[in-house]
Amino acid sequence: MAKRDYYEVLGVAKGASKDDIKKAYRKVAMQFHPDKNPGDHTAEEKFKEASEAYEVLADDQKRARYDQFGHAGVNGGAGAGGAGFQDINDIFSRFSDIFGSGGFDDIFGRTAGGGRRTRRRGVPGSDLRLRLSLSLEEIATGVEKKLKIKRFVSCGTCGGNGADTAQSFHTCPTCQGTGEVRQQVGGGFFTQIVVSQCPTCHGEGQIVTAACKTCGGEGRVEDTETLSVKIPAGVQANMQLQMRGKGNAGKRGGEPGDLLIQVEEEPHPHFQREGDNVIHELYVNIADAALGQNIEVPTLTGKARFKLEPGTQSGKIVRLRGKGIPSVNGYGVGDQLVHINVWTPKKLTSEERALLDKLRSAPNFTPNPGKEEKGFFEKMREFFA
């Protein structure tokens, strides 16, 4: 039997993005999952077909070969030698990331082998949140920070299970260790089985008969730790960084929460940030603006020099390429924009006043902007276009 077009299998256009393909596969896989269609051979084959299509279209190289040569370009699809998927468990293990850390188990309450998942372990820990203030210099280069954090960690005495000894556990009498209870609702043709978390053991399947003396049965204790956090270059204000598993430990062996770090930018005395560019306000005197001068300005990584051209007008913008902030996504580095301001003195000595008075009526001191002189906002629009 001829294979169907992979794009048709997932119901997406040929130019679909990776994200669209992933969403489409999830939808089809949920529809034809064997646990939702027990004993339905047709649904199982469609599930395999969708998984085969996803493995090809989610891989840039395989997708390019498929677009050019069709099924022949990928040797018949997924799997070594092009044999495709033969085992449902193989699909579970390869694509569980699409459905979360627990894969299909979390969605249908089953193990990869098809058996019913019985109980969960402990109570998950909560996330921790903190704010981290960074200078523009640290943002431009990336930085490693030491953070002192007070959080719950796994109890070292009981290993996190909350029991005094290995014999201090008792199977929950309410759920018989499954962690869930079942109740029949309705009657006749409308009978329904409702499954809910066991109220006695709260889904753990076991009850601690003798609590650990260190943690009091929680399986965790409060502690202060120093964590090393690597901040990538280019982060922005209000961006949130996540350190998985570095939040509060869960009760009795439950999964730990995450540490969520919100970035804040410190005000800078010399620069303002605009995306990946930085703006520096430079003030020069009338003589330097008229005669030209070699100028040195601060940058985020040191000093830089440029030539101030003779006749420079106030409002001119000089671009120092690559002196800005790297893109956090790795798409190059921004620039430093030097905004020239010609400084007009407010106080003059009698000698200075006499010199300027002589120049007041000089022909070249009469304003004559001409068409080539653009306004400040027009210049800024050009640089940020």
Side-chain angles (χ1 to χ4, degrees), residues 18-342:
K18 274 191 173 183
D19 189 50
D20 289 338
I21 290 173
K22 186 174 183 178
K23 289 178 181 177
Y25 169 61
R26 180 186 173 94
K27 181 179 179 181
V28 176
M30 290 283 288
Q31 179 182 355
F32 296 110
H33 190 280
D35 278 349
K36 291 188 69 176
N37 304 274
D40 188 337
H41 179 71
T42 301
E44 181 177 330
E45 289 303 314
K46 287 186 177 181
F47 180 73
K48 290 182 180 180
E49 183 184 44
S51 300
E52 181 179 309
Y54 176 74
E55 189 183 29
V56 171
L57 299 184
D59 184 288
D60 290 337
Q61 293 183 349
K62 291 180 180 179
R63 183 177 180 180
R65 292 198 302 270
Y66 176 74
D67 287 344
Q68 186 172 5
F69 302 109
H71 292 289
V74 290
N75 294 323
F85 292 106
Q86 300 299 325
D87 189 349
I88 292 295
N89 292 336
D90 182 40
I91 300 174
F92 291 166
S93 64
R94 293 172 99 168
F95 298 136
S96 63
D97 63 304
I98 295 178
F99 298 87
S101 60
F104 292 103
D105 301 355
D106 288 340
I107 297 172
F108 297 105
R110 295 182 177 273
T111 64
R116 184 166 58 83
R117 190 178 71 246
T118 57
R119 61 183 177 87
R120 63 179 173 83
R121 183 187 176 199
V123 180
S126 59
D127 294 336
L128 288 177
R129 290 174 172 81
L130 61 83
R131 298 176 183 272
L132 181 61
S133 185
L134 300 174
S135 68
L136 279 182
E137 285 84 357
E138 291 173 328
I139 291 173
T141 59
V143 66
E144 185 170 349
K145 290 281 190 179
K146 300 290 184 180
L147 304 179
K148 200 171 185 179
I149 299 174
K150 191 174 184 180
R151 68 188 185 109
F152 284 104
V153 298
S154 180
C155 176
T157 302
C158 64
N161 60 31
D164 187 36
T165 66
Q167 289 73 40
S168 301
F169 289 104
H170 178 69
T171 300
C172 176
T174 302
C175 65
Q176 301 301 314
T178 65
E180 59 188 29
V181 292
R182 295 173 171 241
Q183 182 180 7
Q184 183 172 311
V185 179
F189 291 106
F190 300 101
T191 300
Q192 184 178 3
I193 302 297
V194 177
V195 181
S196 59
Q197 178 180 285
C198 176
T200 304
C201 66
H202 304 291
E204 295 181 43
Q206 292 180 317
I207 296 174
V208 176
T209 56
C212 170
K213 296 178 177 61
T214 302
C215 63
E218 280 204 355
R220 63 180 188 174
V221 293
E222 201 170 33
D223 192 18
T224 300
E225 289 187 328
T226 300
L227 300 179
S228 180
V229 181
K230 290 184 178 180
I231 309 298
V235 294
Q236 299 178 3
N238 298 320
M239 183 176 286
Q240 185 171 272
L241 307 177
Q242 182 179 34
M243 295 185 69
R244 293 192 178 278
K246 296 301 182 181
N248 284 319
K251 294 181 180 180
R252 295 177 296 281
E255 288 292 323
D258 300 331
L259 174 61
L260 307 176
I261 303 170
Q262 183 170 318
V263 174
E264 293 183 345
E265 290 183 9
E266 297 173 356
H268 199 282
H270 302 303
F271 304 107
Q272 289 183 338
R273 181 175 182 177
E274 287 288 343
D276 292 335
N277 295 328
V278 292
I279 300 174
H280 175 62
E281 297 286 344
L282 176 66
Y283 289 85
V284 300
N285 61 50
I286 295 175
D288 287 342
L291 302 175
Q293 181 65 278
N294 288 320
I295 300 291
E296 184 178 79
V297 294
T299 71
L300 291 173
T301 55
K303 300 284 186 180
R305 298 183 69 86
F306 70 92
K307 172 69 174 178
L308 185 70
E309 297 297 331
T312 295
Q313 303 298 311
S314 187
K316 180 179 176 63
I317 299 173
V318 177
R319 183 189 292 269
L320 303 181
R321 296 192 178 278
K323 296 297 183 181
I325 297 174
S327 168
V328 71
N329 297 317
Y331 299 137
V333 182
D335 303 326
Q336 179 169 316
L337 307 178
V338 182
H339 179 213
I340 308 297
N341 299 275
V342 178

